């Protein structure tokens, strides 16, 4: 059986145009306000550190705008759908459409086309554009902000570099590429078998090797007897990049989807304890953009009926649902990061919950 998609009619173009124009207009208005307030807040830093106007505009704000759009895309979608659909409902345009024989399902067609455009934009931003712009933003802030965002390192860093092999670093500093203390531990069956310890260890970015003037080795036999030895001139290569020493949550934000997938595979091979956090980041880059369809369905179903309170009530209810979706998303993400729930299930659960809400509201919508 050949499936024939309905063509775009005048009404379809009208709704899609209203949807996208309202969406982009809302974004433009909010961005202008946010940029003004952000600039006022940071103007002292820009002036004192002599940030060039070109760098402020192109390196900072041109990269800030895509990030802001993507962060609040769901809310803007909600506002756009509810605003113009509620207006159509109170002007009896929707009643006229349904009375003319158009089904509510057919009415949703142009809305979903508009949501598809927004979803594609959001996916492109999430998967490729924003990670690149974040790198430029971090670089700009490191030069022209007093409280700048740089790669931060925990005072105590513990990473699994291979199954059964762990590295511990204390007091690592980026500018000196040096750690106050370094330990390389090997385990078998949950029991330590040997370790290597050194103080004032330096990292050479050219050779990827760690060096120290003195180091100590310890070996443990099956009875737990320890063999202790001291050595000079440590020069070792381990399966650990300096980039991995930074806080993983901040590191993965600057990776595009290809780099993120490779990094996740690499950390899985090492048996890293950061797998859940990385997997949450990957799933969320798809889950949030695809939620646009769910939020659109909820928005149309809510605002297509006349109620007391008018557009204001529709926007209030819709905004409440949208913020509750964001709250649920963050709530389930924490479950995933702690290992309580699988990352995929945790990230996609809010979408499933609000899809059920959307289906319920759709069935209650005027037919």
């Amino acid at each position: 059986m050949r499936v024939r998609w309905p063509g775009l009619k005048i009404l379809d173009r009208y709704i899609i145009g209203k949807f996208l124009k309202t969406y982009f207009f809302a974004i433009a208005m909010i961005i202008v306000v946010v940029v003004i307030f952000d600039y006022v807040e940071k103007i002292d830093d820009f002036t004192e550190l002599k940030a060039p106007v070109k760098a402020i505009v192109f390196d900072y704000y041109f990269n800030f705008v895509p990030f802001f759009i993507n962060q609040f895309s769901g809310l803007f979608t909600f506002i756009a759908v509810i605003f113009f659909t509620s207006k159509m409902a109170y002007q009896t345009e929707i009643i006229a459409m349904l009375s003319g024989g158009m089904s509510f399902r057919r009415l949703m067609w142009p809305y979903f086309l508009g949501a598809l455009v927004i979803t594609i934009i959001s996916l492109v931003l999430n998967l490729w554009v924003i990670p690149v712009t974040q790198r430029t933003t971090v670089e700009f802030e490191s030069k022209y902000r007093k409280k700048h965002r740089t790669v931060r390192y925990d005072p105590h860093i513990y990473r699994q570099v291979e199954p059964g092999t762990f590295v511990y670093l204390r007091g690592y500093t980026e500018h000196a590429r040096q750690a106050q203390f370094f330990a390389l531990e090997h385990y078998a069956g949950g029991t330590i078998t040997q370790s290597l310890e050194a103080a004032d260890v330096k990292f050479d970015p050219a050779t990827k090797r760690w060096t120290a003037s003195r180091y100590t080795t310890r070996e443990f036999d099956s009875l737990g007897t320890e063999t202790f030895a001291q050595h000079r001139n440590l020069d070792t290569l381990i399966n650990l990049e300096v980039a991995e020493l930074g806080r993983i949550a901040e590191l993965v934000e600057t990776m595009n989807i290809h780099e993120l997938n490779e990094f996740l595979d690499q950390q899985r091979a090492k048996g890293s304890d950061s797998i859940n956090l990385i997997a949450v980041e990957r799933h969320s880059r798809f889950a949030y953009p695809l939620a646009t369809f769910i939020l659109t369905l909820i928005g149309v179903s809510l605002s297509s009926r006349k109620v007391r309170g008018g557009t204001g009530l529709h926007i209030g209810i819709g905004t409440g649902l949208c913020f509750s979706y964001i709250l649920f998303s963050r709530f389930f993400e924490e479950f995933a990061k702690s290992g309580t729930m699988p990352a995929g299930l945790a990230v996609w659960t809010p979408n499933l919950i609000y899809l059920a809400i959307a289906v319920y509201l759709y069935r209650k919508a005027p037919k």
Side-chain angles (χ1 to χ4, degrees):
M1 180 179 178
R2 186 178 179 183
V3 178
R4 296 183 62 187
W5 295 98
L8 286 180
K9 301 183 182 298
I10 294 176
L11 182 59
D12 297 325
R13 293 194 292 271
Y14 172 74
I15 292 176
I16 293 172
K18 284 282 188 180
F19 186 180
L20 296 179
K21 284 178 183 177
T22 308
Y23 173 81
F24 288 113
F25 179 76
I27 287 176
M29 292 296 293
I30 297 297
I31 283 176
V32 169
V33 175
V34 170
V35 167
I36 291 174
F37 276 96
D38 186 78
Y39 181 76
V40 170
E41 178 188 350
K42 297 171 182 173
I43 188 172
D44 290 339
D45 285 355
F46 294 161
T47 303
E48 185 175 341
L49 297 177
K50 299 179 180 179
V53 175
K54 183 179 178 181
I56 294 173
V57 174
F58 293 100
D59 292 346
Y60 185 66
Y61 282 112
F62 266 40
N63 295 318
F64 170 81
V65 168
F67 174 79
F68 181 82
I69 291 173
N70 198 60
Q71 284 288 98
F72 297 96
S73 180
L75 179 60
F76 292 140
T77 300
F78 236 97
I79 292 174
V81 169
I82 289 178
F83 183 79
F84 85 86
T85 305
S86 180
K87 187 176 179 181
M88 288 169 60
Y90 276 85
Q91 291 176 345
T92 67
E93 292 180 61
I94 292 181
I95 294 176
M97 297 174 196
L98 299 178
S99 299
M102 175 182 286
S103 66
F104 195 79
R105 179 184 298 180
R106 176 62 181 83
L107 178 64
M108 287 301 306
W109 167 251
Y111 282 96
F112 278 153
L113 285 179
L116 177 62
V117 172
I118 295 172
T119 299
I120 291 173
I121 294 173
S122 185
L123 279 171
V124 171
L125 290 176
N126 242 1
L127 300 182
W128 292 287
V129 176
I130 290 177
V132 176
T133 61
Q134 284 292 88
R135 299 170 198 170
T136 307
T137 302
V138 170
E139 184 179 350
F140 174 89
E141 291 187 330
S142 68
K143 293 180 181 178
Y144 305 114
R145 291 289 318 280
K146 291 180 180 178
K147 296 180 180 179
H148 59 266
R149 288 177 52 199
T150 57
V151 177
R152 293 183 292 174
Y153 300 92
D154 292 318
H156 302 277
I157 301 169
Y158 198 62
R159 297 281 189 271
Q160 181 166 325
V161 295
E162 292 175 3
T165 303
F166 296 81
V167 169
Y168 169 74
L169 292 167
R170 183 178 69 234
Y172 179 80
T173 56
E174 183 180 19
H175 69 277
R177 298 190 183 277
Q178 181 173 325
Q180 297 173 0
F181 181 78
F182 172 95
L184 182 64
E185 302 171 343
H186 299 273
Y187 289 81
T191 304
I192 188 169
T193 58
Q194 58 182 349
S195 70
L196 180 153
E197 300 173 0
D200 299 326
V201 181
K202 292 188 176 182
F203 175 75
D204 186 344
T207 62
K208 310 292 185 183
R209 304 185 76 87
W210 297 82
T211 59
S213 59
R214 298 174 181 270
Y215 67 100
T216 300
T217 57
R218 301 173 187 270
E219 294 188 5
F220 303 85
D221 61 21
S222 59
L223 299 177
T225 305
E226 177 183 349
T227 303
F228 175 90
Q230 291 185 329
H231 310 272
R232 289 181 177 273
N233 301 324
L234 171 67
D235 186 2
T236 185
L237 179 67
I238 59 176
N239 186 21
L240 183 70
E241 295 284 344
V242 169
E244 298 177 53
L245 300 179
R247 296 184 180 179
I248 299 296
E250 297 175 0
L251 175 64
V252 296
E253 288 178 358
T254 62
M255 294 181 177
N256 63 40
I257 190 61
H258 300 302
E259 295 168 338
L260 188 63
N261 287 333
E262 291 176 0
F263 186 61
L264 180 57
D265 292 339
Q266 179 194 78
Q267 295 301 302
R268 278 178 176 158
K270 293 180 179 181
S272 170
D273 58 358
S274 302
I275 292 174
N276 289 335
L277 191 151
I278 303 167
V280 166
E281 174 70 17
R282 187 179 68 168
H283 281 288
S284 64
R285 292 193 184 186
F286 292 95
Y288 296 156
L290 292 176
T292 301
F293 291 103
I294 300 172
L295 299 176
T296 298
L297 181 58
I298 293 176
V300 177
S301 301
L302 269 177
S303 56
S304 57
R305 182 191 300 273
K306 281 188 178 182
V307 294
R308 289 186 178 182
T311 304
L313 180 61
H314 286 151
I315 292 178
I317 296 173
T319 303
L321 284 171
C322 190
F323 277 112
S324 65
Y325 168 78
I326 296 172
L327 180 64
F328 269 108
S329 298
R330 299 294 180 264
F331 180 73
F332 279 100
E333 279 183 11
E334 292 306 314
F335 275 113
K337 292 175 183 177
S338 65
T340 307
M341 290 179 67
L345 178 62
V347 172
W348 289 95
T349 293
N351 281 19
L352 297 176
I353 293 173
Y354 280 79
L355 177 60
I357 295 174
V359 171
Y360 172 79
L361 293 174
Y362 171 78
R363 290 180 175 176
K364 295 292 183 179
K367 300 298 189 294

